[in-house]
Amino acid sequence: MSIAENIAQVRASIAAAAREAGRDPGEILLVGASKMNDAAACREAVAAGIDALGENRVQEMTAKLAENAYAGAPLHFIGHLQRNKVKQVAGKADLIQSVGSLELLDEIEKTAARLETVQDILLEVNIGQEAAKSGFPPAEVLSAAQAALERSHVRTLGLMAIPPADASREENLRYFDKVRALFIDMNEKLFHNGLQHLSMGMSGDYQDAIRAGATMVRVGTAIFGSRHYT
Ligand SMILES: *Cc1c(COP(=O)(O)O)cnc(C)c1O
């Protein structure tokens, strides 16, 4: 199957899940998680109408940017971002989905201010409260959103979450519901219901995520095939 065929199949599954949930499939953005796939694969995805491409590693993103891999589609940064690499990402990625600490928020604010730009972000919530994962604990999401509102060079568009990898389907659904509840709460209390994006769901669970309210799914394997780690 080609990348274009895979995208068409994922789109059909997205539409089916959206319809089941009584939602408009057009409101769900498909982000291709293109880590470990080369510039040619990214271009293929863009030609096939992917809504955005998401990268995990700064070095890989920088190299592929130099090859014009993302021309024609927005670029998202979706991986763990270290503070000392913010300069390579802020102002280059259209959306940084993985803002999971106040230190990182401050660094992005500082860099965006220097560039005289406003960086769009999602706040990442560590919904499973996993020690090894970044993201705000659920109880701190509201204060993090308040902190983001007080910084004029970042604009919060919503929340991102990755439930624990070992969760059962039932547990996963509960995590998605919890993220949605946090999203609704912060949207109402701090953003006049103007937030647009709830990013959750990957190749194995994007239909469940859509039924749970996701507006953005990040799909790698189902589009690009399995990744070969060396
Ligand atoms: C790799 C990755 C994905 C996509 O994972 P697949 O299971 O291959 O679809 C989504 N989100 C993030 C943050 C990722 O790193």
Side-chain angles (χ1 to χ4, degrees):
M1 291 264 281
S2 69
I3 286 171
E5 286 168 323
N6 288 339
I7 289 175
Q9 204 164 76
V10 171
R11 291 266 192 216
S13 305
I14 287 174
R19 278 193 301 269
E20 265 176 59
R23 302 179 56 196
D24 172 8
E27 75 182 32
I28 293 148
L29 294 183
L30 176 57
V31 181
S34 47
K35 57 176 174 273
M36 301 182 73
N37 285 281
D38 62 13
C42 292
R43 284 189 209 105
E44 236 180 291
V46 174
I50 199 90
D51 294 312
L53 287 167
E55 287 292 348
N56 280 71
R57 295 184 190 150
V58 175
Q59 198 180 354
E60 183 178 341
M61 185 188 94
T62 303
K64 281 148 81 175
L65 265 173
E67 294 179 83
N68 254 322
Y70 314 111
L75 172 60
H76 294 183
F77 192 81
I78 63 177
H80 177 66
L81 181 55
Q82 290 168 285
R83 262 194 298 169
N84 63 3
K85 295 198 172 154
V86 164
K87 282 188 194 68
Q88 295 164 260
V89 177
K92 297 204 169 70
D94 298 283
L95 177 66
I96 303 177
Q97 293 204 14
S98 42
V99 180
S101 72
L102 291 177
E103 293 73 22
L104 181 58
L105 182 68
D106 274 332
E107 195 65 34
I108 294 170
E109 166 68 19
K110 214 166 67 184
T111 307
R114 209 178 294 123
L115 295 170
E116 297 180 20
T117 187
V118 175
Q119 177 67 55
D120 284 342
I121 64 164
L122 302 181
L123 298 173
E124 181 174 359
V125 50
N126 183 357
I127 197 62
Q129 311 219 48
E130 295 169 274
K133 205 175 263 178
S134 47
F136 292 99
E140 289 173 21
V141 166
L142 207 58
S143 60
Q146 183 60 49
L149 279 172
E150 288 161 8
R151 285 155 180 77
S152 53
H153 299 87
V154 295
R155 181 172 67 160
T156 305
L157 302 188
L159 281 185
M160 187 271 252
I162 311 168
D166 60 1
S168 68
R169 184 169 180 217
E170 292 309 308
E171 288 166 341
N172 207 42
L173 288 171
R174 278 199 294 275
Y175 285 125
F176 285 152
D177 283 342
K178 281 185 189 169
V179 181
R180 200 234 299 250
L182 283 170
F183 177 78
I184 289 172
D185 185 57
M186 77 189 255
N187 206 5
E188 209 172 85
K189 287 186 175 145
L190 295 177
F191 295 92
H192 311 286
N193 290 320
L195 290 179
Q196 292 181 5
H197 288 302
L198 180 51
S199 173
M200 52 187 196
M202 318 200 294
S203 290
D205 59 8
Y206 66 88
Q207 286 195 300
D208 280 342
I210 288 164
R211 286 187 284 258
T215 67
M216 204 182 254
V217 294
R218 308 173 311 271
V219 178
T221 311
I223 291 174
F224 297 104
S226 51
R227 295 177 288 272
H228 301 286
Y229 295 93
T230 47

